[in-house]
Amino acid sequence: MHINCAGRVAVLSCGLLILTAPFAVAAADTEEIDGRPGVGNLRERLTEREDENRVEDAWTTDLFGHPLSATVQFEWSADWARQLVEDDPPDGETRVLFEQEAEGEIFYSTGPRFSLLLQARIGMERDLLSGTRRGVSELFVERGEMWVHSERAFGSGSGFLSIDFGRLDFEDDRRWWWDEDMDAARVTVGTDSLELALAVAKELGPTRTDRDFVEPDHEDVTRIIAEASWDWRDDHSLQLFALFHDDRSRTHAIGESVDIDREDETDATLRWLGARVSGAWSLRSGGTVGYWLDAGRVDGDEQVVEFTPISARQSEVEERERRTVHGWGFDTGVTRIMPLDFEPRLTLGYARGSGDANGDDTQDRAFRQTGLNGNRPGFGGMQSFPGYGLLLEPDLSNIEVVTVGAGLSLLRASSIDLVYHRYRQVEQSDSLGDARLTAPLTGSDRALGHGVDLVLAVEESKRVEFEFWLSAFRSGDAFGAQRGRSTFGGLFALRLAF
Protein backbone atom coordinates (compact mmCIF):
# COMPACT_ATOMS: atom_id res chain seq x y z
CA MET A 1 0.00 0.00 0.00
CA HIS A 2 1.27 3.48 -0.80
CA ILE A 3 2.88 4.88 2.35
CA ASN A 4 1.07 8.25 2.22
CA CYS A 5 -2.28 6.52 1.88
CA ALA A 6 -1.46 4.08 4.68
CA GLY A 7 -0.38 6.90 6.95
CA ARG A 8 -3.56 8.84 6.42
CA VAL A 9 -5.75 5.80 6.97
CA ALA A 10 -3.84 4.99 10.17
CA VAL A 11 -4.33 8.54 11.46
CA LEU A 12 -8.03 8.41 10.64
CA SER A 13 -8.48 5.04 12.34
CA CYS A 14 -6.61 6.11 15.46
CA GLY A 15 -8.52 9.37 15.61
CA LEU A 16 -11.80 7.53 15.37
CA LEU A 17 -10.75 5.06 18.04
CA ILE A 18 -10.01 7.98 20.37
CA LEU A 19 -13.33 9.68 19.58
CA THR A 20 -15.43 6.58 20.10
CA ALA A 21 -13.53 4.90 22.93
CA PRO A 22 -15.46 6.75 25.67
CA PHE A 23 -18.66 5.13 24.37
CA ALA A 24 -17.30 1.56 24.34
CA VAL A 25 -18.95 -0.72 26.88
CA ALA A 26 -18.70 -4.37 27.79
CA ALA A 27 -21.54 -6.44 26.34
CA ALA A 28 -22.68 -10.01 26.13
CA ASP A 29 -22.35 -11.46 22.65
CA THR A 30 -26.05 -12.03 22.05
CA GLU A 31 -27.85 -9.73 24.48
CA GLU A 32 -29.53 -6.51 23.47
CA ILE A 33 -27.91 -3.25 24.49
CA ASP A 34 -30.13 -0.18 24.77
CA GLY A 35 -32.75 -1.99 22.74
CA ARG A 36 -30.38 -2.72 19.83
CA PRO A 37 -28.94 -6.12 18.80
CA GLY A 38 -25.81 -7.31 20.57
CA VAL A 39 -22.51 -8.45 19.02
CA GLY A 40 -24.00 -11.69 17.74
CA ASN A 41 -26.09 -9.80 15.14
CA LEU A 42 -23.91 -6.73 14.59
CA ARG A 43 -21.46 -8.26 12.14
CA GLU A 44 -24.24 -9.44 9.85
CA ARG A 45 -26.16 -6.16 10.06
CA LEU A 46 -23.23 -3.76 9.63
CA THR A 47 -21.39 -5.67 6.91
CA GLU A 48 -24.33 -6.92 4.84
CA ARG A 49 -23.82 -6.09 1.15
CA GLU A 50 -26.01 -6.92 -1.83
CA ASP A 51 -23.61 -9.27 -3.64
CA GLU A 52 -20.98 -10.12 -1.04
CA ASN A 53 -21.11 -13.49 0.68
CA ARG A 54 -19.96 -13.60 4.31
CA VAL A 55 -19.89 -16.99 5.96
CA GLU A 56 -22.03 -17.28 9.09
CA ASP A 57 -19.52 -19.36 11.06
CA ALA A 58 -16.51 -17.11 10.63
CA TRP A 59 -13.30 -17.88 12.50
CA THR A 60 -13.62 -16.14 15.89
CA THR A 61 -11.37 -15.57 18.87
CA ASP A 62 -11.64 -13.63 22.10
CA LEU A 63 -9.88 -10.26 22.40
CA PHE A 64 -10.18 -8.31 25.66
CA GLY A 65 -13.35 -10.20 26.47
CA HIS A 66 -15.08 -9.58 23.14
CA PRO A 67 -15.20 -11.55 19.87
CA LEU A 68 -12.92 -10.79 16.95
CA SER A 69 -13.88 -12.56 13.72
CA ALA A 70 -11.95 -12.95 10.48
CA THR A 71 -12.88 -14.15 7.00
CA VAL A 72 -11.05 -14.66 3.73
CA GLN A 73 -12.55 -14.78 0.24
CA PHE A 74 -10.81 -15.86 -2.94
CA GLU A 75 -12.14 -14.92 -6.37
CA TRP A 76 -11.13 -15.87 -9.89
CA SER A 77 -12.81 -14.23 -12.89
CA ALA A 78 -12.41 -13.87 -16.64
CA ASP A 79 -14.17 -10.95 -18.36
CA TRP A 80 -14.43 -10.98 -22.14
CA ALA A 81 -15.67 -8.14 -24.38
CA ARG A 82 -15.21 -7.57 -28.12
CA GLN A 83 -15.63 -4.12 -29.64
CA LEU A 84 -17.57 -3.50 -32.86
CA VAL A 85 -14.46 -1.89 -34.34
CA GLU A 86 -10.95 -2.57 -33.09
CA ASP A 87 -7.49 -1.43 -34.09
CA ASP A 88 -4.78 -3.90 -35.08
CA PRO A 89 -3.12 -4.63 -32.73
CA PRO A 90 -5.95 -4.13 -30.21
CA ASP A 91 -5.61 -1.07 -27.94
CA GLY A 92 -7.21 -2.57 -24.85
CA GLU A 93 -10.91 -1.96 -25.56
CA THR A 94 -11.34 -5.48 -26.90
CA ARG A 95 -10.02 -7.69 -24.15
CA VAL A 96 -10.04 -10.90 -22.16
CA LEU A 97 -9.21 -9.76 -18.63
CA PHE A 98 -8.25 -12.39 -16.05
CA GLU A 99 -8.42 -11.34 -12.40
CA GLN A 100 -7.46 -13.06 -9.15
CA GLU A 101 -8.24 -11.64 -5.73
CA ALA A 102 -7.79 -12.59 -2.08
CA GLU A 103 -9.77 -10.44 0.34
CA GLY A 104 -9.26 -10.51 4.09
CA GLU A 105 -11.64 -8.98 6.61
CA ILE A 106 -11.46 -8.48 10.38
CA PHE A 107 -14.49 -7.45 12.45
CA TYR A 108 -14.27 -6.58 16.15
CA SER A 109 -17.04 -5.29 18.39
CA THR A 110 -17.86 -4.69 22.03
CA GLY A 111 -21.51 -4.08 21.15
CA PRO A 112 -23.44 -1.34 19.36
CA ARG A 113 -21.33 1.39 21.00
CA PHE A 114 -18.11 0.28 19.27
CA SER A 115 -17.43 -1.82 16.14
CA LEU A 116 -14.40 -1.94 13.88
CA LEU A 117 -13.98 -3.36 10.35
CA LEU A 118 -10.68 -3.70 8.48
CA GLN A 119 -10.64 -5.02 4.92
CA ALA A 120 -7.85 -5.36 2.35
CA ARG A 121 -7.34 -7.17 -0.92
CA ILE A 122 -4.42 -8.61 -2.86
CA GLY A 123 -5.29 -8.53 -6.56
CA MET A 124 -3.85 -9.46 -9.91
CA GLU A 125 -5.09 -8.27 -13.31
CA ARG A 126 -3.80 -9.56 -16.63
CA ASP A 127 -4.89 -9.18 -20.25
CA LEU A 128 -4.87 -12.56 -21.95
CA LEU A 129 -4.90 -11.14 -25.49
CA SER A 130 -1.35 -10.98 -26.82
CA GLY A 131 -0.13 -7.79 -28.46
CA THR A 132 -2.60 -5.47 -26.73
CA ARG A 133 -1.04 -1.99 -26.78
CA ARG A 134 -2.64 -0.94 -23.51
CA GLY A 135 -2.62 -4.34 -21.90
CA VAL A 136 -2.76 -4.79 -18.14
CA SER A 137 -0.47 -7.00 -16.06
CA GLU A 138 -0.51 -5.77 -12.49
CA LEU A 139 -0.19 -7.08 -8.95
CA PHE A 140 -1.38 -4.80 -6.16
CA VAL A 141 -2.74 -4.43 -2.64
CA GLU A 142 -5.99 -2.50 -2.31
CA ARG A 143 -7.60 -1.07 0.79
CA GLY A 144 -11.27 -1.91 1.16
CA GLU A 145 -13.68 -0.81 3.85
CA MET A 146 -11.91 0.40 7.00
CA TRP A 147 -14.19 2.00 9.54
CA VAL A 148 -15.28 2.45 13.12
CA HIS A 149 -18.99 2.44 13.97
CA SER A 150 -20.65 3.72 17.13
CA GLU A 151 -24.39 3.48 17.80
CA ARG A 152 -26.60 4.61 20.65
CA ALA A 153 -30.30 4.08 21.23
CA PHE A 154 -32.68 6.79 22.41
CA GLY A 155 -36.33 7.21 23.23
CA SER A 156 -38.22 3.97 23.73
CA GLY A 157 -35.39 1.97 22.18
CA SER A 158 -36.69 2.01 18.60
CA GLY A 159 -34.71 5.15 17.82
CA PHE A 160 -30.95 5.20 17.24
CA LEU A 161 -28.06 7.49 16.34
CA SER A 162 -24.96 6.07 14.66
CA ILE A 163 -21.63 7.52 13.57
CA ASP A 164 -19.33 5.94 10.97
CA PHE A 165 -15.86 7.17 10.12
CA GLY A 166 -13.20 5.80 7.76
CA ARG A 167 -13.51 4.14 4.37
CA LEU A 168 -17.25 3.55 4.11
CA ASP A 169 -19.52 1.62 1.78
CA PHE A 170 -22.17 3.65 -0.04
CA GLU A 171 -24.72 1.37 -1.68
CA ASP A 172 -28.40 1.89 -2.40
CA ASP A 173 -30.69 -1.07 -3.09
CA ARG A 174 -30.60 -0.81 -6.88
CA ARG A 175 -27.18 0.88 -7.17
CA TRP A 176 -28.83 3.54 -9.35
CA TRP A 177 -27.44 6.33 -7.17
CA TRP A 178 -24.25 4.93 -5.66
CA ASP A 179 -22.20 1.78 -5.31
CA GLU A 180 -18.77 2.87 -4.08
CA ASP A 181 -16.33 2.75 -1.17
CA MET A 182 -15.12 6.22 -0.16
CA ASP A 183 -13.19 7.94 2.62
CA ALA A 184 -15.99 9.60 4.55
CA ALA A 185 -17.75 10.42 7.80
CA ARG A 186 -21.46 9.63 8.16
CA VAL A 187 -24.14 10.30 10.75
CA THR A 188 -27.39 8.29 10.69
CA VAL A 189 -30.49 8.76 12.82
CA GLY A 190 -33.59 6.62 12.59
CA THR A 191 -36.42 4.56 13.98
CA ASP A 192 -37.97 1.27 12.86
CA SER A 193 -39.63 2.94 9.85
CA LEU A 194 -37.66 6.16 9.21
CA GLU A 195 -33.96 6.69 8.61
CA LEU A 196 -31.94 9.81 7.77
CA ALA A 197 -28.23 9.84 6.84
CA LEU A 198 -25.78 12.63 6.08
CA ALA A 199 -22.20 12.04 4.93
CA VAL A 200 -19.17 14.02 3.76
CA ALA A 201 -16.76 12.13 1.49
CA LYS A 202 -13.36 12.98 0.01
CA GLU A 203 -10.62 10.61 -1.10
CA LEU A 204 -7.55 11.04 1.09
CA GLY A 205 -5.10 8.98 -0.93
CA PRO A 206 -4.62 6.23 -3.52
CA THR A 207 -6.50 3.00 -2.94
CA ARG A 208 -4.02 0.67 -4.70
CA THR A 209 -0.28 0.19 -4.33
CA ASP A 210 0.28 0.19 -8.11
CA ARG A 211 -1.00 3.77 -8.37
CA ASP A 212 0.54 6.78 -6.68
CA PHE A 213 -2.41 9.06 -7.42
CA VAL A 214 -6.10 9.41 -6.65
CA GLU A 215 -8.32 8.40 -9.57
CA PRO A 216 -9.16 11.49 -11.70
CA ASP A 217 -12.91 11.10 -11.06
CA HIS A 218 -12.26 11.44 -7.30
CA GLU A 219 -9.21 13.70 -7.09
CA ASP A 220 -9.91 16.82 -4.97
CA VAL A 221 -13.65 16.13 -5.15
CA THR A 222 -15.75 16.79 -2.05
CA ARG A 223 -19.14 15.11 -1.90
CA ILE A 224 -21.98 15.75 0.51
CA ILE A 225 -24.45 12.84 0.44
CA ALA A 226 -27.88 12.82 2.04
CA GLU A 227 -30.43 9.98 2.16
CA ALA A 228 -33.85 9.58 3.74
CA SER A 229 -35.88 6.36 3.81
CA TRP A 230 -39.44 5.91 5.03
CA ASP A 231 -41.14 2.50 5.17
CA TRP A 232 -44.64 3.92 4.90
CA ARG A 233 -46.17 0.44 5.03
CA ASP A 234 -44.96 -3.15 5.08
CA ASP A 235 -42.88 -3.91 1.94
CA HIS A 236 -43.28 -0.37 0.57
CA SER A 237 -40.81 2.49 0.94
CA LEU A 238 -40.11 6.03 -0.16
CA GLN A 239 -36.48 7.17 -0.40
CA LEU A 240 -35.00 10.60 -1.07
CA PHE A 241 -31.47 11.16 -2.37
CA ALA A 242 -29.27 14.25 -2.62
CA LEU A 243 -25.67 14.73 -3.68
CA PHE A 244 -23.53 17.86 -3.84
CA HIS A 245 -20.38 17.31 -5.94
CA ASP A 246 -17.62 19.93 -5.78
CA ASP A 247 -14.56 19.27 -7.96
CA ARG A 248 -11.55 21.46 -7.10
CA SER A 249 -8.95 19.53 -9.09
CA ARG A 250 -6.61 21.32 -11.48
CA THR A 251 -7.96 21.69 -15.03
CA HIS A 252 -5.59 20.57 -17.78
CA ALA A 253 -4.30 23.34 -20.07
CA ILE A 254 -4.80 23.23 -23.85
CA GLY A 255 -1.81 21.55 -25.46
CA GLU A 256 -0.77 19.80 -22.25
CA SER A 257 0.39 16.18 -22.50
CA VAL A 258 -1.32 13.87 -20.00
CA ASP A 259 -0.93 10.19 -19.14
CA ILE A 260 -4.07 8.39 -20.31
CA ASP A 261 -4.62 7.04 -16.79
CA ARG A 262 -4.64 10.65 -15.47
CA GLU A 263 -7.13 12.11 -17.95
CA ASP A 264 -9.72 14.21 -16.10
CA GLU A 265 -12.50 14.85 -18.61
CA THR A 266 -14.72 17.04 -16.41
CA ASP A 267 -14.35 19.50 -13.56
CA ALA A 268 -17.79 20.27 -12.18
CA THR A 269 -19.92 21.63 -9.39
CA LEU A 270 -23.14 19.64 -9.62
CA ARG A 271 -26.22 18.93 -7.51
CA TRP A 272 -28.42 15.84 -7.77
CA LEU A 273 -31.88 15.55 -6.21
CA GLY A 274 -34.18 12.58 -6.60
CA ALA A 275 -36.47 9.97 -5.13
CA ARG A 276 -37.32 6.30 -5.28
CA VAL A 277 -40.64 4.59 -4.66
CA SER A 278 -40.46 0.80 -4.45
CA GLY A 279 -42.27 -2.13 -2.95
CA ALA A 280 -44.07 -5.43 -3.48
CA TRP A 281 -47.60 -6.84 -3.17
CA SER A 282 -48.60 -10.40 -2.41
CA LEU A 283 -51.47 -11.28 -4.73
CA ARG A 284 -54.55 -13.21 -3.69
CA SER A 285 -54.04 -15.46 -6.69
CA GLY A 286 -50.53 -16.22 -5.45
CA GLY A 287 -47.10 -14.88 -6.19
CA THR A 288 -45.97 -11.28 -5.89
CA VAL A 289 -45.58 -8.11 -7.94
CA GLY A 290 -42.68 -5.81 -7.24
CA TYR A 291 -42.27 -2.28 -8.60
CA TRP A 292 -39.76 0.56 -8.61
CA LEU A 293 -39.47 4.14 -9.80
CA ASP A 294 -36.22 6.10 -9.58
CA ALA A 295 -36.26 9.73 -10.72
CA GLY A 296 -33.58 12.38 -10.47
CA ARG A 297 -32.47 15.79 -11.66
CA VAL A 298 -28.98 17.25 -11.99
CA ASP A 299 -28.03 20.93 -12.16
CA GLY A 300 -24.80 22.89 -12.00
CA ASP A 301 -21.75 23.91 -14.00
CA GLU A 302 -18.97 21.87 -15.54
CA GLN A 303 -15.87 22.32 -17.66
CA VAL A 304 -15.41 19.58 -20.25
CA VAL A 305 -11.93 18.70 -21.52
CA GLU A 306 -11.36 16.85 -24.81
CA PHE A 307 -8.21 14.77 -25.37
CA THR A 308 -6.48 13.51 -28.51
CA PRO A 309 -4.26 10.39 -28.24
CA ILE A 310 -0.62 11.04 -29.16
CA SER A 311 0.75 7.62 -28.13
CA ALA A 312 -0.33 4.37 -26.52
CA ARG A 313 0.18 5.91 -23.07
CA GLN A 314 -0.38 9.65 -23.49
CA SER A 315 -2.87 12.13 -24.90
CA GLU A 316 -2.96 15.87 -25.49
CA VAL A 317 -5.57 18.39 -24.37
CA GLU A 318 -7.30 19.61 -27.51
CA GLU A 319 -10.21 21.71 -26.24
CA ARG A 320 -11.92 22.99 -23.09
CA GLU A 321 -15.53 24.10 -22.85
CA ARG A 322 -17.61 25.42 -19.95
CA ARG A 323 -21.30 24.46 -19.75
CA THR A 324 -24.33 24.93 -17.56
CA VAL A 325 -26.01 21.59 -16.77
CA HIS A 326 -29.76 20.92 -16.42
CA GLY A 327 -30.84 17.29 -16.93
CA TRP A 328 -33.31 14.71 -15.69
CA GLY A 329 -33.68 10.94 -15.79
CA PHE A 330 -35.82 8.10 -14.51
CA ASP A 331 -35.95 4.32 -14.33
CA THR A 332 -39.18 2.43 -13.69
CA GLY A 333 -40.50 -1.11 -13.97
CA VAL A 334 -42.31 -4.10 -12.49
CA THR A 335 -41.40 -7.71 -11.76
CA ARG A 336 -44.04 -10.45 -11.53
CA ILE A 337 -43.11 -13.63 -9.62
CA MET A 338 -45.59 -16.43 -10.32
CA PRO A 339 -46.68 -19.13 -7.81
CA LEU A 340 -45.36 -22.04 -9.88
CA ASP A 341 -42.48 -24.45 -9.70
CA PHE A 342 -39.13 -22.67 -10.09
CA GLU A 343 -40.90 -19.35 -9.30
CA PRO A 344 -40.81 -17.98 -12.87
CA ARG A 345 -40.58 -14.19 -13.00
CA LEU A 346 -41.13 -11.60 -15.71
CA THR A 347 -39.71 -8.07 -15.68
CA LEU A 348 -40.63 -5.02 -17.74
CA GLY A 349 -38.55 -1.87 -17.40
CA TYR A 350 -38.11 1.50 -19.03
CA ALA A 351 -35.34 4.03 -18.35
CA ARG A 352 -34.68 7.42 -19.94
CA GLY A 353 -32.04 10.08 -19.45
CA SER A 354 -32.54 13.47 -21.10
CA GLY A 355 -30.33 14.55 -24.00
CA ASP A 356 -29.06 17.85 -25.34
CA ALA A 357 -30.79 18.92 -28.55
CA ASN A 358 -28.40 21.82 -29.24
CA GLY A 359 -24.74 20.96 -28.80
CA ASP A 360 -23.58 24.38 -30.04
CA ASP A 361 -24.68 26.45 -27.03
CA THR A 362 -23.42 26.54 -23.46
CA GLN A 363 -26.51 24.81 -22.03
CA ASP A 364 -26.19 21.05 -21.61
CA ARG A 365 -29.57 19.46 -20.92
CA ALA A 366 -28.32 15.87 -20.93
CA PHE A 367 -28.75 13.90 -17.73
CA ARG A 368 -25.76 12.19 -16.22
CA GLN A 369 -25.66 9.86 -13.25
CA THR A 370 -23.66 10.53 -10.12
CA GLY A 371 -20.49 8.74 -11.20
CA LEU A 372 -20.84 6.59 -8.07
CA ASN A 373 -23.62 4.46 -9.55
CA GLY A 374 -23.41 0.78 -10.43
CA ASN A 375 -26.80 0.18 -12.16
CA ARG A 376 -27.05 -3.42 -10.90
CA PRO A 377 -30.64 -4.26 -9.91
CA GLY A 378 -30.72 -8.02 -10.55
CA PHE A 379 -34.49 -8.34 -11.29
CA GLY A 380 -35.10 -10.87 -8.52
CA GLY A 381 -32.26 -13.30 -9.21
CA MET A 382 -29.61 -14.47 -6.74
CA GLN A 383 -27.01 -12.06 -8.12
CA SER A 384 -27.44 -8.53 -9.34
CA PHE A 385 -26.03 -7.65 -12.77
CA PRO A 386 -25.86 -4.55 -15.02
CA GLY A 387 -29.48 -3.56 -15.56
CA TYR A 388 -28.80 -1.71 -18.83
CA GLY A 389 -26.92 -4.57 -20.45
CA LEU A 390 -23.75 -6.48 -19.74
CA LEU A 391 -22.00 -5.55 -22.98
CA LEU A 392 -23.13 -2.02 -23.90
CA GLU A 393 -23.53 -1.06 -20.19
CA PRO A 394 -24.29 2.64 -20.81
CA ASP A 395 -24.66 5.43 -18.31
CA LEU A 396 -28.21 6.80 -18.37
CA SER A 397 -27.46 9.91 -20.43
CA ASN A 398 -29.20 10.81 -23.72
CA ILE A 399 -30.55 7.29 -23.96
CA GLU A 400 -33.73 5.33 -23.46
CA VAL A 401 -33.63 1.65 -22.59
CA VAL A 402 -36.56 -0.77 -22.88
CA THR A 403 -35.99 -3.97 -20.88
CA VAL A 404 -37.83 -7.30 -20.96
CA GLY A 405 -36.56 -10.08 -18.72
CA ALA A 406 -37.50 -13.64 -17.73
CA GLY A 407 -35.99 -15.70 -14.94
CA LEU A 408 -36.24 -18.89 -12.93
CA SER A 409 -35.17 -19.89 -9.43
CA LEU A 410 -33.14 -23.11 -9.41
CA LEU A 411 -32.43 -25.55 -6.59
CA ARG A 412 -32.28 -23.80 -3.19
CA ALA A 413 -30.22 -20.69 -3.94
CA SER A 414 -29.54 -20.40 -7.67
CA SER A 415 -31.13 -18.56 -10.59
CA ILE A 416 -31.01 -18.06 -14.32
CA ASP A 417 -32.12 -14.93 -16.20
CA LEU A 418 -32.56 -14.02 -19.86
CA VAL A 419 -32.83 -10.26 -20.46
CA TYR A 420 -33.44 -8.23 -23.63
CA HIS A 421 -32.68 -4.50 -24.08
CA ARG A 422 -33.58 -2.08 -26.85
CA TYR A 423 -31.50 1.11 -26.98
CA ARG A 424 -32.30 4.47 -28.58
CA GLN A 425 -30.82 7.92 -28.23
CA VAL A 426 -33.13 10.64 -26.95
CA GLU A 427 -31.45 13.29 -29.11
CA GLN A 428 -29.36 12.54 -32.18
CA SER A 429 -25.66 12.68 -31.32
CA ASP A 430 -22.38 11.45 -32.80
CA SER A 431 -21.21 10.09 -29.43
CA LEU A 432 -22.58 7.49 -27.05
CA GLY A 433 -21.17 8.89 -23.83
CA ASP A 434 -20.01 6.63 -21.02
CA ALA A 435 -20.52 3.09 -22.33
CA ARG A 436 -18.47 -0.08 -22.55
CA LEU A 437 -18.69 -0.34 -26.34
CA THR A 438 -17.00 2.47 -28.23
CA ALA A 439 -17.65 3.24 -31.90
CA PRO A 440 -18.37 6.41 -33.91
CA LEU A 441 -22.04 7.31 -34.49
CA THR A 442 -23.56 9.09 -37.46
CA GLY A 443 -25.42 11.72 -35.42
CA SER A 444 -28.34 11.40 -37.87
CA ASP A 445 -30.19 8.38 -36.43
CA ARG A 446 -31.30 7.48 -32.90
CA ALA A 447 -31.49 3.66 -33.15
CA LEU A 448 -28.55 2.25 -31.18
CA GLY A 449 -29.40 -1.43 -31.30
CA HIS A 450 -30.41 -4.45 -29.25
CA GLY A 451 -28.77 -6.52 -26.52
CA VAL A 452 -29.45 -9.94 -25.00
CA ASP A 453 -27.94 -11.19 -21.73
CA LEU A 454 -27.92 -14.63 -20.12
CA VAL A 455 -27.00 -14.78 -16.43
CA LEU A 456 -26.54 -17.92 -14.32
CA ALA A 457 -25.82 -17.62 -10.58
CA VAL A 458 -25.21 -20.65 -8.34
CA GLU A 459 -25.01 -20.06 -4.58
CA GLU A 460 -25.96 -23.41 -3.04
CA SER A 461 -23.19 -23.11 -0.49
CA LYS A 462 -22.31 -20.17 1.76
CA ARG A 463 -18.68 -20.86 0.95
CA VAL A 464 -18.85 -21.30 -2.83
CA GLU A 465 -20.41 -19.03 -5.47
CA PHE A 466 -20.37 -19.37 -9.24
CA GLU A 467 -21.45 -16.86 -11.91
CA PHE A 468 -21.63 -17.14 -15.68
CA TRP A 469 -22.71 -14.29 -17.97
CA LEU A 470 -23.05 -14.32 -21.76
CA SER A 471 -24.02 -11.20 -23.71
CA ALA A 472 -24.65 -10.24 -27.33
CA PHE A 473 -25.19 -6.81 -28.93
CA ARG A 474 -26.41 -5.98 -32.44
CA SER A 475 -25.79 -2.41 -33.57
CA GLY A 476 -28.51 -0.16 -34.99
CA ASP A 477 -28.59 2.51 -37.71
CA ALA A 478 -26.94 5.09 -35.44
CA PHE A 479 -23.63 3.24 -35.96
CA GLY A 480 -23.58 4.01 -39.68
CA ALA A 481 -21.21 1.69 -41.52
CA GLN A 482 -21.14 -0.59 -38.48
CA ARG A 483 -24.93 -1.03 -38.30
CA GLY A 484 -26.17 -4.59 -38.27
CA ARG A 485 -22.93 -5.93 -36.79
CA SER A 486 -23.02 -8.25 -33.80
CA THR A 487 -20.50 -8.53 -31.01
CA PHE A 488 -20.24 -10.70 -27.93
CA GLY A 489 -18.95 -10.73 -24.37
CA GLY A 490 -19.10 -12.77 -21.21
CA LEU A 491 -17.93 -13.33 -17.68
CA PHE A 492 -16.99 -16.33 -15.54
CA ALA A 493 -16.45 -15.92 -11.79
CA LEU A 494 -15.77 -18.35 -8.95
CA ARG A 495 -15.65 -17.30 -5.27
CA LEU A 496 -14.58 -19.29 -2.22
CA ALA A 497 -15.20 -17.90 1.27
CA PHE A 498 -13.74 -19.10 4.59
Side-chain angles (χ1 to χ4, degrees):
M1 186 176 294
H2 191 276
I3 187 169
N4 291 337
C5 171
R8 289 172 177 174
V9 171
V11 170
L12 284 174
S13 300
C14 292
L16 188 53
L17 285 168
I18 293 171
L19 287 173
T20 57
F23 299 103
V25 297
D29 289 353
T30 57
E31 293 177 355
E32 289 192 351
I33 304 173
D34 294 339
R36 303 294 293 171
V39 177
N41 297 323
L42 271 171
R43 176 177 169 268
E44 180 179 356
R45 178 165 61 88
L46 296 181
T47 64
E48 182 181 7
R49 304 290 178 261
E50 287 291 333
D51 285 331
E52 292 191 22
N53 185 23
R54 286 176 168 83
V55 293
E56 296 176 355
D57 54 342
W59 177 86
T60 304
T61 189
D62 184 85
L63 181 64
F64 305 122
H66 302 285
L68 180 148
S69 62
T71 61
V72 178
Q73 176 174 283
F74 299 93
E75 179 174 341
W76 298 266
S77 67
D79 188 3
W80 163 49
R82 190 184 74 187
Q83 293 291 325
L84 288 168
V85 180
E86 181 57 280
D87 297 333
D88 186 20
D91 66 1
E93 299 297 337
T94 288
R95 72 187 333 169
V96 178
L97 183 65
F98 176 65
E99 297 179 89
Q100 297 183 73
E101 178 183 286
E103 177 183 277
E105 178 178 296
I106 295 174
F107 180 79
Y108 178 70
S109 180
T110 64
R113 305 282 179 86
F114 178 82
S115 299
L116 169 71
L117 179 75
L118 298 175
Q119 188 184 82
R121 307 177 186 94
I122 300 175
M124 186 276 285
E125 298 175 347
R126 179 173 296 171
D127 270 303
L128 299 184
L129 289 181
S130 60
T132 301
R133 285 180 293 166
R134 291 177 57 196
V136 174
S137 181
E138 297 174 326
L139 178 67
F140 56 89
V141 177
E142 181 179 21
R143 59 188 177 108
E145 294 181 58
M146 296 181 175
W147 47 253
V148 171
H149 171 92
S150 182
E151 185 175 306
R152 304 191 75 175
F154 62 81
S156 63
S158 62
F160 71 94
L161 170 69
S162 69
I163 299 174
D164 303 273
F165 189 89
R167 187 157 187 82
L168 308 180
D169 173 70
F170 290 83
E171 177 182 285
D172 69 89
D173 293 338
R174 303 189 67 251
R175 269 70 69 85
W176 199 78
W177 289 91
W178 27 76
D179 181 20
E180 193 81 39
D181 292 344
M182 292 184 289
D183 299 329
R186 178 170 56 202
V187 177
T188 306
V189 61
T191 65
D192 289 341
S193 61
L194 180 65
E195 188 171 297
L196 307 173
L198 179 65
V200 178
K202 184 174 183 178
E203 294 298 273
L204 301 180
T207 59
R208 292 170 38 160
T209 55
D210 59 335
R211 297 173 185 171
D212 59 358
F213 58 90
V214 176
E215 294 293 329
D217 290 345
H218 298 290
E219 184 179 12
D220 289 330
V221 177
T222 300
R223 295 178 172 94
I224 300 176
I225 300 171
E227 292 184 69
S229 178
W230 175 37
D231 295 332
W232 56 277
R233 60 176 296 181
D234 289 344
D235 299 323
H236 298 270
S237 68
L238 170 65
Q239 295 172 277
L240 304 178
F241 301 90
L243 169 64
F244 175 69
H245 169 113
D246 186 21
D247 188 346
R248 297 296 180 91
S249 61
R250 186 182 72 85
T251 302
H252 300 300
I254 294 178
E256 180 181 354
S257 297
V258 180
D259 289 345
I260 289 177
D261 292 338
R262 303 293 298 271
E263 289 182 359
D264 188 359
E265 297 180 348
T266 62
D267 294 314
T269 299
L270 298 173
R271 298 168 297 278
W272 281 266
L273 290 173
R276 169 181 300 147
V277 180
S278 61
W281 287 286
S282 295
L283 304 180
R284 292 182 179 178
S285 58
T288 59
V289 172
Y291 67 93
W292 73 88
L293 170 60
D294 275 291
R297 180 175 178 84
V298 59
D299 297 278
D301 300 284
E302 70 175 359
Q303 186 162 235
V304 180
V305 182
E306 294 187 7
F307 296 87
T308 299
I310 57 177
S311 72
R313 297 292 179 182
Q314 282 200 317
S315 60
E316 184 177 273
V317 179
E318 180 180 6
E319 185 179 354
R320 297 191 312 185
E321 181 181 3
R322 186 170 293 278
R323 301 173 182 172
T324 301
V325 177
H326 304 284
W328 55 268
F330 69 88
D331 183 322
T332 187
V334 295
T335 295
R336 171 75 162 101
I337 302 177
M338 288 168 279
L340 302 172
D341 290 344
F342 305 107
E343 296 182 331
R345 57 186 180 274
L346 298 175
T347 297
L348 297 176
Y350 178 73
R352 182 183 179 99
S354 63
D356 186 28
N358 184 2
D360 296 328
D361 61 14
T362 59
Q363 297 284 328
D364 187 353
R365 300 192 177 279
F367 182 67
R368 68 286 317 272
Q369 293 183 265
T370 62
L372 308 175
N373 53 287
N375 293 337
R376 296 172 64 93
F379 304 135
M382 291 304 301
Q383 278 283 342
S384 65
F385 49 85
Y388 300 146
L390 307 177
L391 195 50
L392 187 63
E393 200 173 356
D395 193 66
L396 192 64
S397 179
N398 190 33
I399 195 171
E400 61 176 22
V401 185
V402 176
T403 298
V404 180
L408 296 173
S409 297
L410 307 175
L411 305 176
R412 293 182 298 106
S414 302
S415 62
I416 187 168
D417 288 87
L418 183 65
V419 184
Y420 162 81
H421 303 281
R422 190 204 70 179
Y423 307 99
R424 289 180 64 84
Q425 287 186 317
V426 175
E427 304 289 348
Q428 294 176 358
S429 173
D430 59 3
S431 65
L432 187 55
D434 187 7
R436 192 176 187 187
L437 296 182
T438 59
L441 305 181
T442 64
S444 60
D445 198 288
R446 297 192 297 133
L448 292 172
H450 309 266
V452 177
D453 304 322
L454 177 68
V455 180
L456 173 65
V458 179
E459 300 182 11
E460 297 304 310
S461 166
K462 283 291 186 179
R463 299 187 183 277
V464 182
E465 292 184 356
F466 168 82
E467 282 184 73
F468 175 75
W469 301 354
L470 187 62
S471 183
F473 175 80
R474 185 174 178 84
S475 58
D477 291 343
F479 285 88
Q482 306 303 322
R483 63 179 174 269
R485 292 192 61 180
S486 296
T487 189
F488 303 91
L491 175 108
F492 167 85
L494 176 65
R495 303 182 187 92
L496 303 179
F498 301 94

